[in-house]
Amino acid sequence: MDFFPIFLKLQQQPCLVVGGGEAALRKARLLAAAGARLQVAAPALAPELAEMAGRGELTHLAGAYAAEQLRGQRLVVAASEDDELNRRVARDAEALGVLVNVVDDAEASRYITPAIVDRSPLMIAIASGGGVPVLVRMMRARLESLIPGAYGRLARFAAGFRERSKQRFPDVDQRRRFWEDALEGPLADAVLNGHEEQAAAEMERRLAGAGPETVGAVYLVGAGPGNPDLLTFRALRLMQQADVVLYDKLVAPELLQLVRRDAERVYVGKARANHALPQDDINQLMVDLARQGKRVLRLKGGDPFTFGRGGEEIATLAENGVAFEVVPGITSASGAAAYAGIPLTHRDYAQSVTFVTGHKQDGSIALDWPALTRPQQTVVVYMGVSTAAELCQAFIANGRAAATPAAAVEWATTARQRTVCGTLSTLPGLMASHGIASPALIIVGEVVELADKLAWYRRSENSAVTIQED
Ligand code: SAH
């Protein structure tokens, strides 16, 4: 962290701007808006600055700059058009321990002023350490369009109930939930739409009533195939509200970073033959946590209902009367298909697609081979890396041509994605020679040929796609 972000209370605080031109004017306006007791040191003032002085918003120090003027100031801005003078101001201020900003010179500055999105009392500050101002401006523009102008009104409205909410809900978790309920949904909409009286009456009702009890719930959330951009809004919102998150191996670290910072994180991952927590214990843990009143986020790779044991997990919840919700995610087959340029169905090549698991049960791959080897269909195999050779062999043995195109997509949609394309007879060898490891999907069918033309995604380093055929 190059700069430490803070918000300063400047009402009635002495602040000094050195300089009387455009840059000085911009800074003076901001400081005046923050209620600072403002002095501007410059031989002459630009007209607007002079007007501000006329309105009593600043005091003009008309003499030459002197280090003495810095004494006792909370903040100093060196905003003159003279670089040498600005640096001198910075040196003097540093010597006195007064915070100083040099306009357009982050290097010489002790503090910098961020770009702001002002929904007072709600304030968003954005900075790039002075390095990429254009990016900062672009982000600001986005946020400006994203956040309703009336958010300030909502923030003020909420602040009016803050003390009473503290008395009513001394417990922090309860209080947070009370506010999350209040600041989202119908009540917040009423404030944003200008029905503050109605909203206030509803707040009174909620504060006076028995109030929400601490009832926990479990959210079984699909996190998608790994690329954070592929999360759903619902998933993201729940990630930011969770009290505790249970995640496994397939949930990428980039995704976990999006979980509320204070949420407790529990790894319950299953590496094959290396169960971190047996399934029954995971199920029981979720029941216990929910009963403690926690909002439990069960984060799963891909989609929770596609080879995710989601059904088993919520069955236990249902049996125990624990409230739950299931949020779908993009399953890795969809992610891999899209990012490798392999449409799963295609009018000319495949009229259906089947998802199967290559995982062995009781020592063999128990699949309906006659069904899977019919022509004009795509088969996507999950968990099939270690059994790839047997799988491909079984496809051929059961009647699919050895020359049928087949691909493996490893770490689909992420920066580590690799695709290997071949045929049923060559794919196992290609996977071995490229060291394709789990997580990877195997896609079998004529659609694989399209990757040659349709692959668009390039992971960060070098080439994403290795196309090799006999
Ligand atoms: N519920 C998950 C699947 C869990 S089973 C989903 O909907 O995607 C685990 C298998 O999913 C892995 O063995 C692998 O075959 C596949 N998988 C998960 N994420 C993947 C990814 N990013 N790239 C390729 N395969 C992935």
Side-chain angles (χ1 to χ4, degrees), residues 396-457:
I396 297 167
N398 286 280
R400 199 112 191 216
T404 306
V409 188
E410 180 191 57
W411 283 112
T413 77
T414 72
R416 302 157 74 178
Q417 174 173 317
R418 287 196 297 168
T419 307
V420 186
C421 296
T423 64
L424 279 175
S425 64
T426 64
L427 187 70
L430 287 171
M431 285 174 67
S433 63
H434 285 84
I436 298 291
S438 181
L441 290 165
I442 295 171
I443 306 178
V444 177
E446 280 69 23
V447 287
V448 167
E449 271 174 22
L450 293 163
D452 205 5
K453 229 172 31 196
L454 303 183
W456 55 272
Y457 178 67

Side-chain angles (χ1 to χ4, degrees), residues 30-53:
L30 269 179
L31 288 166
R37 203 162 78 226
L38 186 59
Q39 295 182 315
V40 176
L45 295 184
E48 284 116 314
L49 278 172
E51 283 166 28
M52 286 175 74

Side-chain angles (χ1 to χ4, degrees), residues 57-380:
E57 291 168 17
L58 60 85
T59 307
H60 183 199
L61 308 179
Y65 160 77
E68 202 43 44
Q69 293 164 345
L70 303 177
R71 212 171 280 283
Q73 304 287 358
R74 286 284 192 196
L75 282 187
V76 170
V77 186
S80 82
E81 272 130 38
D82 177 348
D83 290 346
E84 192 44 51
L85 173 61
N86 286 345
R87 274 195 287 271
R88 205 177 110 207
V89 173
R91 277 196 306 273
D92 293 345
E94 283 286 280
L96 284 170
V98 177
L99 290 177
V100 63
N101 170 255
V102 181
V103 170
D104 289 337
D105 190 351
E107 193 100 336
S109 298
R110 176 58 52 191
Y111 77 93
I112 53 175
T113 39
I116 54 177
V117 179
D118 187 356
R119 300 285 186 274
S120 285
L122 192 74
M123 183 74 81
I124 302 170
I126 313 157
S128 67
V132 205
V134 177
L135 197 63
V136 169
R137 233 170 292 146
M138 279 161 51
M139 281 180 66
R140 194 184 106 182
R142 272 210 215 171
L143 289 170
E144 286 281 6
S145 62
L146 202 73
I147 301 169
Y151 249 56
R153 190 182 327 148
L154 182 61
R156 267 194 308 279
F157 173 86
F161 289 91
R162 185 151 171 259
E163 276 311 314
R164 291 187 43 215
S165 75
K166 271 192 195 162
Q167 288 157 16
R168 177 68 184 78
F169 303 109
D171 179 75
V172 180
D173 280 345
Q174 267 192 355
R175 192 158 69 241
R176 181 163 46 75
R177 212 159 306 163
F178 167 81
W179 279 114
E180 280 167 3
D181 286 343
L183 295 175
E184 262 181 350
L187 201 156
D189 287 339
V191 179
L192 292 175
N193 297 332
H195 304 296
E196 284 195 33
E197 277 176 32
Q198 181 194 327
E202 172 62 14
M203 281 298 267
E204 293 296 346
R205 209 185 57 74
R206 290 189 191 186
L207 282 167
E213 281 178 43
T214 19
V215 200
V218 176
Y219 301 91
L220 183 63
V221 175
N227 186 328
D229 278 352
L230 300 177
L231 278 174
T232 60
F233 288 137
R234 183 74 186 141
L236 186 61
R237 189 148 358 112
L238 289 170
M239 285 162 85
Q240 289 170 354
Q241 291 176 4
D243 296 317
V244 46
V245 50
L246 311 188
Y247 65 100
D248 41 49
K249 200 169 115 216
L250 282 177
V251 176
E254 299 90 305
L255 289 168
L256 274 183
Q257 278 174 13
L258 299 172
V259 173
R260 191 168 73 89
R261 226 188 312 170
D262 301 342
E264 188 188 336
R265 289 157 163 73
V266 184
Y267 176 72
V268 295
K270 295 187 279 282
R272 240 163 42 89
N274 173 24
H275 288 221
L277 256 194
Q279 188 64 49
D280 287 347
D281 290 3
I282 299 177
N283 298 352
Q284 191 55 46
L285 182 61
M286 291 197 293
V287 171
D288 294 344
L289 288 167
R291 287 203 170 136
Q292 289 164 25
K294 299 239 156 70
R295 267 180 306 195
V296 184
L297 182 78
R298 175 68 175 109
L299 205 54
K300 297 229 139 205
D303 175 74
F305 276 7
T306 307
F307 302 121
R309 300 203 182 195
E312 293 167 49
E313 296 192 359
I314 60 172
T316 312
L317 299 173
E319 283 156 22
N320 285 275
V322 172
F324 61 85
E325 175 181 327
V326 183
V327 180
I330 293 181
T331 189
S332 49
S334 299
Y339 276 62
I342 303 174
L344 295 176
T345 64
H346 188 290
R347 277 193 297 173
D348 301 333
Y349 303 99
Q351 276 73 55
S352 68
V353 54
T354 309
F355 295 172
V356 298
T357 164
H359 203 59
K360 283 189 176 173
Q361 262 177 349
D362 307 326
S364 70
I365 308 171
L367 292 172
D368 179 0
W369 290 108
L372 292 181
T373 46
R374 275 186 222 122
Q376 297 278 302
Q377 72 168 321
T378 307
V379 178
V380 182

